[in-house]
Amino acid sequence: MKILYLFFYFFLFNVIAIDLNFECGGTFRIDKEFLLSDGSKYSQFSNYGTCSGELGIYNASYCFGTFKTKDNIIIDSEILCENTFSDNEKAWLKARRIPNTELDSSLGEMIFIDATGKWKTLIGTKCKYGIKFINLPEYSSSLSNHKCDITEKQKKILESKSSVNSLE
């Protein structure tokens, strides 16, 4: 019976996913582009923005990366973001947009690759996002929604005021 209780406790509080949602907006700029003879384009970009989310979470973000496109369709992408949260802790995420989607409106996936403080609990967590740009190609506004599946334990850590090290 104890084994069943422990399994149930672990399952309920550590495995069941809880949605952590963020709404973001920012400024997107293509910094450099190369047009190749086959019509494909390599673009280097930067994006500055802010997000608000559940649990009273706010952050500023800076992202940069590259896109390979052809006819404004994404062939490949690589993106790195640094987020500074309202508690002055940071998290770094790698992102990829889904190939064969439009450059100005797309879906993608991010993964937390590093963090400080209580945000370390999210390292390895994946988040899905949708993004829309207005006024491409020079300076654009970006609007995005992010959804991360987290555990109850991760949620409790994020709700706390202390660092992750004091909760372990």
Side-chain angles (χ1 to χ4, degrees):
M1 185 67 175
K2 284 184 182 181
I3 293 173
L4 184 58
Y5 176 76
L6 288 173
F7 175 78
F8 186 73
Y9 177 82
F10 176 77
F11 182 77
L12 259 184
F13 293 105
N14 292 308
V15 176
I16 294 177
I18 298 167
D19 289 346
L20 178 63
N21 297 299
F22 293 92
E23 292 185 8
C24 306
T27 302
F28 175 86
R29 184 178 83 187
I30 293 177
D31 300 315
K32 185 81 174 169
E33 287 186 320
F34 294 120
L35 181 61
L36 303 183
S37 62
D38 68 356
S40 64
K41 190 185 300 184
Y42 285 82
S43 304
Q44 179 182 338
F45 72 91
S46 55
N47 187 322
Y48 295 90
T50 58
C51 300
S52 63
E54 298 169 346
L55 311 177
I57 298 170
Y58 295 90
N59 68 285
S61 67
Y62 170 64
C63 301
F64 64 89
T66 59
F67 288 120
K68 179 182 178 185
T69 59
K70 189 167 185 176
D71 300 321
N72 282 329
I73 301 297
I74 295 170
I75 298 168
D76 194 18
S77 63
E78 186 168 355
I79 306 160
L80 185 65
C81 297
E82 178 182 77
N83 291 293
T84 304
F85 295 94
S86 52
D87 59 4
N88 290 317
E89 299 292 350
K90 293 188 178 203
W92 292 268
L93 298 96
K94 277 183 91 170
R96 286 211 177 270
R97 300 267 291 273
I98 295 174
N100 300 315
T101 57
E102 295 179 17
L103 180 61
D104 67 345
S105 181
S106 185
L107 301 172
E109 185 173 80
M110 305 178 93
I111 184 167
F112 282 81
I113 60 168
D114 199 7
T116 62
K118 66 185 178 185
W119 298 95
K120 287 181 180 183
T121 191
L122 295 182
I123 293 174
T125 299
K126 293 182 179 180
C127 306
K128 294 182 182 189
Y129 71 94
I131 191 162
K132 174 70 178 154
F133 294 106
I134 304 166
N135 300 326
L136 277 174
E138 288 185 35
Y139 289 93
S140 303
S141 296
S142 62
L143 305 170
S144 62
N145 289 306
H146 304 253
K147 177 186 166 210
C148 308
D149 292 331
I150 62 172
T151 65
E152 182 67 33
K153 181 179 178 182
Q154 288 173 313
K155 179 182 176 191
K156 286 180 181 183
I157 291 170
L158 294 178
E159 288 175 325
S160 74
K161 299 261 188 241
S162 59
S163 75
V164 71
N165 295 331
S166 66
L167 294 171
E168 295 179 328

